[in-house]
Amino acid sequence: MNQRSISLWAALACTAALGLSGAQAQTKAYAGVTLNVMTFTGPQIAEPLQRRGKEFEAATGAKVNVITVPYSDLYQKLLTDWSTGTNSIDAAILAPQWMPDYVGFLEDLSPRVKADSKLREDDVAPFFREFSQKYGGKTYTVTLDGDFHIAYYRTDVLAKLGRKPPQTWDEYLDIAKAAHGKDFGDGKPIVGSCIAKKRSAQSFWMITSVAGAFLQAKGTSEGAFFDPATMKPLVNNDAFARALEIYKETGKYGPPNEINMDVGDTRTLFVGGGCALTVDWGDIGPLAVDPKASKVVDKVGALMLPGSTRVLDRASGKLVACDATRCPHAVNGVNRAPFAAFGGWSGAINAKAKPQAKDAAYALFSYMSQPEQSNADVTVGATGFNPYRQSQFKDMGPWKKAGMSDKAAKDYLGAIQDSLNSPNMVLDLRIPFNQRYQQVALDTAMARFLAGELDVKGTMKNIEDTWNELNDELGKAKQQAAYKASIGAR
Amino acid sequence: MSGLGPQGAPPPGPARPAPGEWLGNWLDRQAGTVFIAPAVTVVLLFSIFPLLASAWLSLTRFSLQAGGYELSFVGALNYRKLIAGSQQFHLLGTAGEMAVATWLALAAAHALLAWALLRSLRRRQAYAQAAPRAPQGAAAVLTLACVIVAALLSPLGPFAAAAQSARDALDLPWFAWLLFAFAGFVVAALIARRLGAPARVAGLVGRQLAGSVWLLVALVAAGTAGGQQGSLLTTLFYVAGGVALQFALGLGLALLCAQPIRGRNLFRLSFFLPLMVTPVGIAYMFRMLADMGVGPFAPVARLLGLGAVTWAQNAWSARWVVLIGDTWQWVPFIFIVLLAAIEGQPRDQLEAAQLDGAPSWRIFRDITWPAIAPTAAAVVLIRLIEAFKIVDLPNVLTNGGPGIATESMTLHAFIDWRSLNLGGSAAVAYLLLLVSTLVAVSFFHFVVRPARGEPAA
Amino acid sequence: MKRLFESQRLGELAPLPRALVYGALLAWTFVVFFPLYWVLVTSFKEPLQVADGPVFLPFVDFQPSLHAWKYILVETGRDTLRPYLNSMLIASLSTLLAVAIGSMAAYALTRIVYRPSVAAVLLFIASVAAVVALVLSAGLSLGWALPLGAMLFVLGLRPLQRRITARLGNDDILFWMISQRILPPVVSAIPIYVMFQQVHLLDTQFALIVTYMTANLPIVVWLMVDFFDGIPRELEESAALDGASRFRILFDLMLPLARPGLVATTLLVLILSWNEYLLALFLSTANAQTMPLLVAAQNATRGPQWWTMSVLILLMIVPVVVMTLFLQKFIARGLLTGAVKG
């Protein structure tokens, strides 16, 4: 063939190819759409996002650009991008606890969620569906991960000590004391309890995990941070005092360096075989069965956060014994208040993104949350996703595949399920500027308390004063209305 | 270009310069502007707006609104909280009992101020070659003004309660007191000039400003000596202790490396290594190293019987660990500059002294040190300014703990900023700006310029 | 005994001092290398080996594994390469610009006497403040506010200069330059972010190059002033007599003479740009991400991934070491500038 016919054939071939791909693109729902999704650097959360993003792209043609930033800076980066009008990020996987600050920038997803049958919203645990995803009655996020605190224990240690898993904090301290410093078979002495106590880390959540059962007994709407009727901080009373004492006492049976350990350190220590008890999010379950990271494979049990037989009488500020009226949700006379710390990573969409991008982003999050994908992801520790759907507890198959024994899986899932189904779950603080209340005021006071600078009374007074000052500065009526709306109080 | 022509012939007349040459000549005359304009313009563009915007931010409260944000003016609220309000424990510290040693140290700080003022006036006098009237009277007046202002305004410390009641008695707004202080400085400066101080009024007022801030810090330090120090004193510890240690080590290493030894280049390169690691990486690296449970020094700690003790529990040991990390990181900076200076010193003097058999310390004192003094002063100034901004190490090692013991002011601002308290964060940053500017200006005038052989203002 | 303290030849050290000097230098070398060795070893460890307690020697104490290296270089290779290239581009360009502009300014500050009037400076600040106030409070657009501010400056200059005759000097300019380093970046980061956002240059390498150049300019000026000061004037004066223009003097005479200082300054500024974290965090999102961000990002919710972090730290050191080795012959050669001083 001569030169011209070659080029003619080439041109024809190219056009045909283009036409074909165009036709193919035509059938893909979001062809040509580029989605910028931001989260923190993984592998947790970012890895499943990238993986599912690729699958999503193959199915719908939308290009998913996963942008990651260091975990401690995610909040600032997103906020700067959205509040200054830059809007380079279309969607993000963020923490629902940031909702009060972000709500002005997020797209209201209520109509989409309602119309989405594949999402199986009915399968999502009520706490996440009604509280975590919503703000002011509207849904703003798609839950991808269920986050709350559970207590973990070493089954072999408890068996050797002849104890049952701790149902109250007094029992927790008992076990910690009994186990502290003893060798249970690997030649190294273990510590009784590992709980994160580092400054600016997680200690402000941990104290609420301890104090919750003392402060809240009548359900989520009773509130555990403020008294919704008066907006008085619930931090200067006998219940919080007892919680502070317990928290400090766990340090007596903990590693020497505990005051400088955050949850990453305590988790590593527990899974490395160094602690008898710990309080953490759901990550320890899958981590404990990973032979590359764990020395306690099949030796870990989990249960709902220990509770208390005495609760706060808000009028007098004193602790009173539980009875049927005071603690309607008590289990065997013990009031339990699992704490949904932080909220669980969820997908949210920028209200100012382009309409096609918004549709594509919602489709992506829905895809990731649907049981077909989600149920597999929550069994893999590296994804960072923890269970939040009822169906994730029914089928043991994926958990066994991940390496959990029958007993371990039942234990772990049981603890999560108990917490999820508890009507007395503590909702994390969700009023505007909650970071200043918790991560600055409460955390600084806790750090000074643990360092010995303040005593119990001084700590409580300090937190109460700073929270009251914040309320006054930010507008007490406004904060109260926001607090009531978040916990559904009347 | 226009010189004498060949012998005997008259010089050629001035030819009209070609256009390119004319441009070259014009540029040459404008060289002064052309050389410095780009630098000045660029720095101006990038510095003015952030400076002014941050000042504005420190007077506002930041809140997020639907779709955007809002800045509401709150006046000096952020500053008041930090200095005299609910955040005082954070910035200045909590007061404690004052031991005898603390009182003595406080008195020494006052004496040091008097001596420094006297010396600065004397040095100024020597340069001005003015009629030599004894400057003791002037120095005494200036010192007295500083002491009175510091005592009257002190927010924390031995005189704070008395000062508070004195101020309450008159019930004036806070800025009135600042104006009084300023007026007092001006009056004292005029009196000092009457008594023969050989400096301008502005210079004398500046000295008093620096002096009273020095005394205020001394009072706060004395007051919190028995209690807990706040981020201000922690930062000053990092700066003073850190820069002193780094300078000593840097100078020592530079002197050692300048000796005639083999493998000099190898040592030089290795010592430069810490500077090449990114500060965030260094912070995590030290976190690994300082972990006495699973870090490399754990066996050493166990051997010494320190197993149950941890540096992270004690305020001062935690601060020292941060200081050690900072020193490891920044010694190369001082080392490399001082080495360049030492190797650039005049050779002939050096060789002559060595031939004469002078001992090394004499050579150092009389030849090397004067030669490198200007460079040393410059590099210490740069290091001082950078040291005030320390943030990565305390952030990663201890997040500012235990309590608030290792929190530097920049970390303080960073924590506030992270929780969207932009106004409070800008206020802390501006207070840091004030303190570090005073330190830098004082250091510049009283160390750098004399090292260069120029007088202080 | 005496022989320990006497040197054999002139210019050499006696045996005892020599031993002490070597001893001290070797001790510090150990101090420098041990943390880096620890980082190297950690990059080959499994999570369990890190958590278990210190193990020091690969193959002896523990089995080294390449999982961290594989993760960084292979599995997330693309995500590692992009920040790496960004860092190299941004650091080298910003350093080049900073050193070029800064050396010019430094030379000028040592040889030429400047006397900016205090009135002009005050008025300039007032004009900028007026512009900022107009934009922020009165909501005026930049297009209106800038000319108004310029007018204020131009009109007010003469009258104010007549009232305030004081003048500043070179030292004041110098001090003003170095004082730019005082404000912590955490506070200036947001205004700088807003500045770049207004011109739509966020997340570009250009924004970071310009920002780093500006941030490091004061250091270049400060250090080069010192090095230029050390060069005697006679050389320039004779060159000027020969008819060389200021530009030629600077480029052909001064810069080569100040080479050791120039190289040291270039290295320092290169390192500062290479390692900068906070402004990079603010001004970049995806395209202009740099290496320090990647290092910090290894601190995930699960706790610091020490192994991958160690890999990244080591990767970050390599180009700087290469650059230093390349430039060090200039330092070594040029530092023997006894010829200039003597």
Side-chain angles (χ1 to χ4, degrees):
Chain A
M1 295 202 239
N2 65 6
Q3 190 80 347
R4 240 187 3 171
S5 49
I6 295 183
S7 27
L8 203 61
W9 276 115
L12 272 175
C14 284
T15 327
L18 273 172
L20 260 178
S21 63
Q24 245 187 345
Q26 223 71 333
T27 61
K28 292 205 180 164
Y30 299 111
V33 178
T34 309
L35 213 50
N36 288 331
V37 186
M38 182 179 264
T39 188
F40 63 95
T41 311
Q44 281 79 42
I45 315 297
E47 187 273 325
L49 180 60
Q50 271 155 342
R51 184 169 30 101
R52 298 292 183 195
K54 284 210 194 69
E55 295 169 14
F56 185 72
E57 180 176 350
T60 65
K63 180 154 174 9
V64 177
N65 238 356
V66 176
I67 301 167
T68 63
V69 291
Y71 166 68
S72 49
D73 303 307
L74 178 62
Y75 175 82
Q76 278 290 351
K77 283 291 297 193
L78 273 176
L79 211 51
T80 321
D81 189 76
W82 288 346
S83 67
T84 56
T86 313
N87 290 321
S88 64
I89 307 290
D90 300 311
I93 297 191
L94 43 70
Q97 204 201 358
W98 300 342
M99 204 89 89
D101 299 323
Y102 278 84
V103 73
F105 310 107
L106 296 180
E107 169 90 345
D108 180 3
L109 299 176
S110 321
R112 289 180 213 258
V113 166
K114 228 205 231 149
D116 191 343
S117 57
K118 289 224 280 221
L119 186 59
R120 297 289 319 279
E121 270 294 274
D122 52 325
D123 186 33
V124 177
F127 176 78
F128 292 100
R129 196 175 55 226
E130 302 305 330
F131 286 105
S132 192
Q133 287 181 172
K134 292 197 180 168
Y135 193 78
K138 305 202 191 124
T139 305
Y140 286 99
T141 64
V142 175
T143 309
L144 295 166
D145 164 43
D147 243 347
F148 40 83
H149 278 176
I150 350 184
Y152 296 90
Y153 58 91
R154 287 275 298 277
T155 48
D156 56 332
V157 171
L158 258 60
K160 286 216 178 81
L161 290 174
R163 306 282 182 114
K164 288 220 154 82
Q167 305 296 319
T168 67
W169 283 106
D170 291 324
E171 285 174 27
Y172 183 97
L173 286 173
D174 254 346
I175 299 178
K177 189 166 171 181
H180 186 59
K182 302 208 174 68
D183 178 0
F184 288 91
D186 25 296
K188 278 203 295 221
I190 68 171
V191 298
S193 144
C194 303
I195 304 187
K197 294 193 163 65
K198 190 173 185 175
R199 167 121 193 261
S200 285
Q202 294 84 19
S203 61
F204 57 91
W205 279 310
M206 294 296 171
I207 186 65
T208 310
S209 285
V210 177
F214 292 93
L215 294 171
Q216 179 184 296
K218 300 215 174 94
T220 313
S221 307
E222 200 191 5
F225 293 93
F226 296 95
D227 186 344
T230 60
M231 205 55 183
K232 182 170 130 86
L234 291 172
V235 295
N236 197 359
N237 47 56
D238 283 358
F240 203 79
R242 181 77 193 113
L244 283 174
E245 284 163 18
I246 294 174
Y247 189 49
K248 194 157 193 184
E249 200 175 328
T250 61
K252 277 215 313 235
Y253 313 119
N257 201 20
E258 207 183 19
I259 199 176
N260 204 25
M261 293 177 95
D262 61 16
V263 86
D265 300 317
T266 57
R267 194 177 290 170
T268 315
L269 193 57
F270 181 81
V271 153
C275 318
L277 297 163
T278 189
V279 172
D280 202 336
W281 280 275
D283 304 87
I284 290 199
L287 201 58
V289 296
D290 178 2
K292 281 234 275 286
S294 162
K295 278 177 132 180
V296 294
V297 180
D298 222 22
K299 292 196 199 150
V300 172
L303 83 157
M304 193 161 63
L305 279 181
S308 159
T309 51
R310 294 187 298 163
V311 290
L312 176 72
D313 175 41
R314 292 189 181 184
S316 65
K318 305 240 169 286
L319 282 169
V320 293
C322 244
D323 59 31
T325 35
R326 282 196 215 280
C327 311
H329 304 294
V331 175
N332 294 339
V334 178
N335 180 40
R336 309 293 279 264
F339 180 32
F342 202 43
W345 297 98
S346 318
I349 302 178
N350 181 8
K352 294 231 178 81
K354 297 206 206 30
Q356 261 213 313
K358 286 200 260 198
D359 292 335
Y362 178 76
L364 171 66
F365 290 142
S366 169
Y367 174 69
M368 286 177 74
S369 179
Q370 286 160 19
E372 297 78 37
Q373 283 73 246
S374 177
N375 290 10
D377 282 340
V378 296
T379 63
V380 180
T383 61
F385 287 153
N386 297 311
Y388 62 98
R389 283 176 176 276
Q390 314 280 22
S391 57
Q392 287 160 354
F393 302 98
K394 306 243 175 62
D395 182 11
M396 293 283 175
W399 297 100
K400 294 240 268 272
K401 216 164 68 151
M404 276 200 187
S405 72
D406 238 346
K407 179 153 185 339
K410 265 221 285 255
D411 233 354
Y412 176 64
L413 294 177
I416 300 187
Q417 229 179 349
D418 289 340
S419 312
L420 272 182
N421 290 332
S422 167
N424 195 31
M425 202 167 208
V426 175
L427 179 71
D428 211 350
L429 190 61
R430 279 219 203 174
I431 54 182
F433 293 104
N434 54 6
Q435 299 218 25
R436 287 174 71 171
Y437 288 85
Q438 281 184 304
Q439 293 189 29
V440 182
L442 181 57
D443 180 81
T444 312
M446 292 305 301
R448 295 172 72 201
F449 172 64
L450 290 170
E453 276 178 46
L454 294 170
D455 60 1
V456 171
K457 274 212 172 57
T459 311
M460 297 199 297
K461 180 130 189 359
N462 180 288
I463 305 174
E464 189 184 39
D465 286 343
T466 6
W467 281 17
N468 276 332
E469 189 188 44
L470 278 170
N471 276 342
D472 291 332
E473 207 187 298
L474 305 168
K476 187 154 154 183
K478 216 168 47 139
Q479 298 292 76
Q480 190 174 10
Y483 186 59
K484 281 168 116 161
S486 74
I487 56 174
R490 307 236 161 271
Chain B
M1 260 181 274
S2 56
L4 281 176
Q7 190 78 25
R16 271 191 67 217
E21 244 180 68
W22 178 89
L23 182 66
N25 287 349
W26 181 81
L27 267 181
D28 209 44
R29 280 197 299 275
Q30 303 302 320
T33 325
V34 170
F35 279 168
I36 206 169
V40 170
T41 319
V42 163
V43 174
L44 261 182
L45 274 178
F46 269 79
S47 65
I48 291 274
F49 178 61
L51 213 58
L52 292 172
S54 315
W56 171 247
L57 257 183
S58 72
L59 300 174
T60 63
R61 181 195 348 199
F62 174 88
S63 56
L64 288 164
Q65 305 294 329
Y69 60 87
E70 182 200 344
L71 289 171
S72 33
F73 183 74
V74 291
L77 179 66
N78 293 318
Y79 291 101
R80 278 215 303 265
K81 272 210 288 199
L82 282 166
I83 296 181
S86 58
Q87 289 292 308
Q88 189 192 55
F89 78 91
H90 206 165
L91 182 74
L92 299 177
T94 31
E97 294 239 343
M98 284 187 60
V100 173
T102 321
W103 280 108
L104 287 176
L106 191 59
H110 283 73
L112 194 66
L113 175 66
W115 174 82
L117 282 171
L118 186 62
R119 212 173 108 106
S120 115
L121 288 181
R122 278 225 174 93
R123 196 179 281 162
R124 178 85 185 155
Q125 203 170 45
Y127 168 72
Q129 287 162 348
R133 283 170 71 177
Q136 282 95 330
V141 168
L142 295 175
T143 314
L144 194 63
C146 293
V147 172
I148 294 178
V149 166
L152 202 58
L153 292 181
S154 69
L156 194 69
F159 311 128
Q164 183 68 44
S165 12
R167 291 200 301 269
D168 285 340
L170 278 176
D171 193 29
L172 290 169
W174 57 272
F175 48 83
W177 292 105
L178 289 180
L179 283 174
F180 273 155
F182 188 72
F185 287 153
V186 174
V187 166
L190 291 170
I191 298 180
R193 272 193 71 81
R194 264 301 168 84
L195 291 174
R200 292 186 302 204
V201 172
L204 293 173
V205 170
R207 282 174 174 77
Q208 290 175 80
L209 191 62
S212 43
V213 170
W214 159 256
L215 285 182
L216 278 171
V217 171
L219 283 170
V220 169
T224 58
Q228 292 299 326
Q229 289 79 24
S231 57
L232 174 64
L233 292 168
T234 307
T235 309
L236 288 173
F237 168 70
Y238 290 147
V239 169
V243 175
L245 192 58
Q246 288 152 33
F247 182 69
L249 282 171
L251 183 62
L253 288 170
L255 286 173
L256 287 176
C257 252
Q259 300 295 320
I261 50 171
R262 278 215 298 251
R264 216 168 15 170
N265 279 345
L266 209 58
F267 281 123
R268 199 191 316 235
L269 274 174
S270 336
F271 294 171
F272 198 50
L273 219 43
L275 207 54
M276 302 189 204
V277 188
T278 179
V280 171
I282 294 189
Y284 280 107
M285 188 173 74
F286 265 89
R287 185 163 149 184
M288 270 198 282
L289 290 172
D291 189 333
M292 292 300 171
V294 297
F297 296 113
V300 175
R302 268 200 291 272
L303 208 66
L304 294 176
L306 295 170
V309 171
T310 159
W311 58 265
Q313 268 174 338
N314 177 288
W316 280 105
S317 58
R319 290 181 184 134
W320 272 103
V321 171
V322 173
L323 195 72
I324 291 175
D326 194 51
T327 303
W328 186 90
Q329 185 181 354
W330 288 104
V331 161
F333 182 75
I334 299 190
F335 164 74
I336 206 86
V337 174
L338 286 183
L339 187 59
I342 289 178
E343 296 202 334
Q345 58 180 312
R347 291 266 137 182
D348 46 357
Q349 271 191 305
L350 200 59
E351 272 152 21
Q354 277 174 336
L355 270 171
D356 282 344
S360 344
W361 61 268
R362 279 280 298 276
I363 297 183
F364 176 72
R365 192 190 69 180
D366 295 333
I367 300 179
T368 312
W369 179 248
I372 64 171
T375 315
V379 82
V380 169
L381 181 62
I382 296 182
R383 186 64 208 114
L384 268 177
I385 293 179
E386 298 294 319
F388 271 102
K389 299 189 292 190
I390 181 174
V391 70
D392 283 311
L393 268 166
N395 191 24
V396 169
L397 273 176
T398 56
N399 283 359
I404 53 169
T406 54
E407 200 173 310
S408 62
M409 278 173 87
T410 309
L411 184 56
H412 184 168
F414 188 62
I415 291 180
D416 270 341
W417 170 86
R418 256 202 318 227
S419 65
L420 291 189
N421 184 6
L422 296 186
S425 161
V428 175
Y430 255 81
L431 287 173
L432 177 65
L433 180 70
L434 175 71
V435 173
S436 45
T437 306
L438 279 172
V439 170
V441 169
S442 312
F443 190 80
F444 181 66
H445 277 292
F446 302 122
V447 179
V448 177
R449 289 183 82 173
R452 291 227 191 105
E454 307 154 16
Chain C
M1 199 52 190
K2 215 159 162 251
R3 275 197 311 167
L4 277 177
F5 292 95
E6 271 176 7
S7 54
Q8 311 288 58
R9 285 182 279 275
L10 186 68
E12 258 196 28
L13 287 173
L16 185 63
R18 182 144 39 116
L20 288 176
V21 167
Y22 272 116
L25 288 175
L26 283 171
W28 187 256
T29 311
F30 176 75
V31 168
V32 164
F33 272 109
F34 181 70
L36 293 169
Y37 170 74
W38 189 251
V39 168
L40 180 66
V41 162
T42 306
S43 69
F44 290 113
K45 288 187 185 169
E46 295 273 355
L48 255 185
Q49 288 158 337
V50 173
D52 231 358
V55 283
F56 294 87
L57 300 166
F59 298 114
V60 174
D61 285 339
F62 70 98
Q63 273 300 108
S65 118
L66 285 172
H67 78 110
W69 289 90
K70 264 211 300 245
Y71 183 75
I72 293 288
L73 293 175
V74 178
E75 291 172 35
T76 58
R78 219 162 32 129
D79 288 334
T80 311
L81 189 63
R82 196 187 39 204
Y84 211 71
L85 294 175
N86 277 340
S87 273
M88 288 212 263
L89 176 72
I90 294 171
S92 39
L93 278 184
S94 67
T95 305
L96 230 59
L97 286 171
V99 171
I101 299 181
S103 314
M104 274 204 314
Y107 173 67
L109 281 169
T110 54
R111 301 302 193 234
I112 304 173
V113 176
Y114 292 96
R115 306 200 49 215
S117 73
V118 174
V121 171
L122 286 176
L123 197 56
F124 183 76
I125 298 179
S127 314
V128 175
V131 169
V132 171
L134 282 173
V135 170
L136 285 182
S137 324
L140 227 59
S141 83
L142 218 58
W144 280 107
L146 273 178
L148 282 174
M151 244 179 27
L152 173 65
F153 181 77
V154 167
L155 293 177
L157 190 56
R158 275 288 157 75
L160 202 61
Q161 268 185 325
R162 264 184 294 216
R163 298 267 165 69
I164 306 180
T165 55
R167 294 201 160 243
L168 302 167
N170 283 22
D171 264 343
D172 300 300
I173 300 183
L174 260 180
F175 188 75
W176 167 71
M177 283 226 133
I178 200 68
S179 69
Q180 297 314 307
R181 301 281 303 181
I182 296 183
L183 194 66
V186 78
V187 168
S188 52
I190 296 218
I192 294 183
Y193 176 90
V194 169
M195 276 166 56
F196 278 111
Q197 188 215 24
Q198 296 293 318
V199 293
H200 300 290
L201 277 176
L202 280 177
D203 201 22
T204 57
Q205 287 86 345
F206 178 75
L208 279 172
I209 292 175
V210 169
T211 311
Y212 286 170
M213 173 190 75
T214 318
N216 294 325
L217 211 51
I219 296 204
V220 174
V221 170
W222 255 82
L223 288 177
M224 289 311 294
V225 158
D226 255 329
F227 287 115
F228 279 136
D229 257 340
I231 301 179
R233 315 226 161 180
E234 294 88 50
L235 293 161
E236 285 165 83
E237 278 159 18
S238 51
L241 274 176
D242 284 343
S245 73
R246 284 237 192 233
F247 287 89
R248 286 215 35 220
I249 294 182
L250 172 63
F251 287 111
D252 293 340
L253 183 64
M254 300 299 288
L255 283 182
L257 279 178
R259 194 182 300 166
L262 199 62
V263 169
T265 309
T266 308
L267 261 179
L268 285 171
V269 171
L270 192 69
I271 288 176
L272 286 175
S273 299
W274 179 255
N275 289 336
E276 205 279 334
Y277 174 73
L278 197 73
L279 288 169
L281 175 71
F282 256 94
L283 296 175
S284 76
T285 326
N287 292 329
Q289 203 187 24
T290 56
M291 285 299 282
L293 294 180
L294 203 55
V295 172
Q298 298 308 309
N299 185 17
T301 46
R302 216 172 241 209
Q305 317 267 55
W306 298 114
W307 33 99
T308 44
M309 198 181 278
S310 306
V311 172
L312 286 171
I313 293 177
L314 291 170
L315 284 178
M316 275 194 79
I317 301 184
V318 169
V320 189
V321 170
V322 167
M323 189 100 252
T324 310
L325 284 172
F326 174 66
L327 289 174
Q328 66 104 3
K329 51 183 181 156
F330 292 107
I331 304 186
R333 234 187 344 187
L335 276 178
L336 302 175
T337 51
V340 178
K341 282 275 176 110

